């Protein structure tokens, strides 16, 4: 998505540890005009899918998922991060290692909001090693729901998450795939 790539080149900042900061437009301050275009693009790419729910993980996926959901006319559900596993049987639970915080979280989603009849589209801001999306896929499987695909705004193509998910047969749409990045240059696939 050209508009997004231009914005990453203009305002993205590469930090040590392979972190791209996009907090001026995507995940701290949010440029709603841009995110609206992102939502439209996800709708165009998954227009043939009978999506009934959009699933993301807190926190930074939520805003993007909400704007995207307006184009699909479906609810957004998000997995909540918790540091203590609540063994309540009414929750789907899975473990996710956070790339940015280097911590492992239990994430939970109420069983009330995801069922075997659902067709799920996953949405997140970044794809790095794929832990967040793999955790969400585990929740979809626990629910017996159908996974329609995963839409990510920025895939760091030099990390293994994208290849792993594609090898699992997941229909993955990334709006910008970064091939390489240093504090001086950033290239897209
Ligand atoms: P993964 O689980 O694929 O390793 O990492 C994805 C999650 O980590 C995303 O939900 C995102 O919040 C965070 N993340 C991974 N890489 C980056 C990055 O370069 N910049 C930012 N801002 N977040 C990242």
């Amino acid at each position: 998505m050209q508009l997004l790539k231009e914005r990453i080149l203009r305002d993205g900042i590469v930090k040590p540890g392979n972190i791209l900061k996009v907090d001026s437009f995507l995940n701290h301050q949010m440029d709603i005009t841009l995110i609206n275009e992102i939502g439209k693009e996800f709708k165009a790419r998954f227009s043939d899918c009978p999506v009934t729910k959009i699933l993301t993980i807190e926190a930074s996926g939520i805003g993007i998922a909400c704007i995207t959901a307006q184009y699909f006319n479906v609810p957004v559900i998000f997995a909540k991060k918790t540091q203590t596993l609540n063994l309540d049987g009414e929750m789907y639970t899975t473990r996710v290692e956070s790339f940015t915080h280097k911590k492992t979280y239990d994430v939970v989603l109420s069983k009330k909001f995801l069922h075997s009849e659902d067709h799920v589209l996953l949405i997140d801001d970044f794809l790095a090693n794929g832990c967040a999306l793999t955790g969400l896929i585990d929740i979809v499987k626990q629910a017996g729901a159908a996974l329609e695909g995963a839409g990510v705004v920025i895939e760091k193509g030099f990390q293994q998450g994208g290849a792993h998910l594609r090898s699992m047969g997941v229909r993955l749409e990334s709006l910008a795939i970064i091939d390489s990045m240093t504090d001086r240059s950033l290239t897209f696939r």
Side-chain angles (χ1 to χ4, degrees), residues 50-135:
V51 175
T52 62
K53 296 262 163 88
I54 289 183
L55 172 62
T56 188
I57 185 165
E58 71 176 1
S60 48
I62 297 175
I64 299 161
C66 288
I67 290 182
T68 302
Q70 291 188 305
Y71 290 97
F72 287 88
N73 224 347
V74 299
V76 170
I77 47 181
F78 60 93
K80 294 185 174 214
K81 290 176 182 161
T82 149
Q83 300 213 38
T84 52
L85 184 55
N86 175 356
L87 285 172
D88 184 339
E90 299 310 306
M91 296 284 191
Y92 302 115
T93 65
T94 194
R95 305 213 90 190
V96 169
E97 194 186 323
S98 161
F99 179 80
T100 37
H101 299 112
K102 307 283 176 231
K103 266 190 202 167
T104 300
Y105 294 90
D106 293 304
V107 302
V108 300
L109 179 79
S110 171
K111 289 188 177 174
K112 278 190 294 199
F113 304 127
L114 189 61
H115 307 113
S116 56
E117 315 80 65
D118 278 313
H119 290 253
V120 181
L121 175 63
L122 309 178
I123 292 286
D124 205 3
D125 58 345
F126 272 92
L127 173 58
N129 292 328
C131 297
L133 288 183
T134 307

Side-chain angles (χ1 to χ4, degrees), residues 8-9 12-22 99-100 126-128 154-159 176-189:
I8 294 168
L9 289 175
I13 299 168
V14 178
K15 294 283 182 187
N18 275 336
I19 299 282
L20 175 65
K21 276 197 93 143
V22 288
F99 179 80
T100 37
F126 272 92
L127 173 58
I154 303 173
E155 176 180 339
K156 294 190 291 183
F158 52 86
Q159 292 181 247
I177 303 180
I178 297 174
D179 255 343
S180 68
M181 62 183 203
T182 67
D183 54 0
R184 280 152 202 268
S185 80
L186 188 152
T187 61
F188 295 104
R189 189 167 299 173

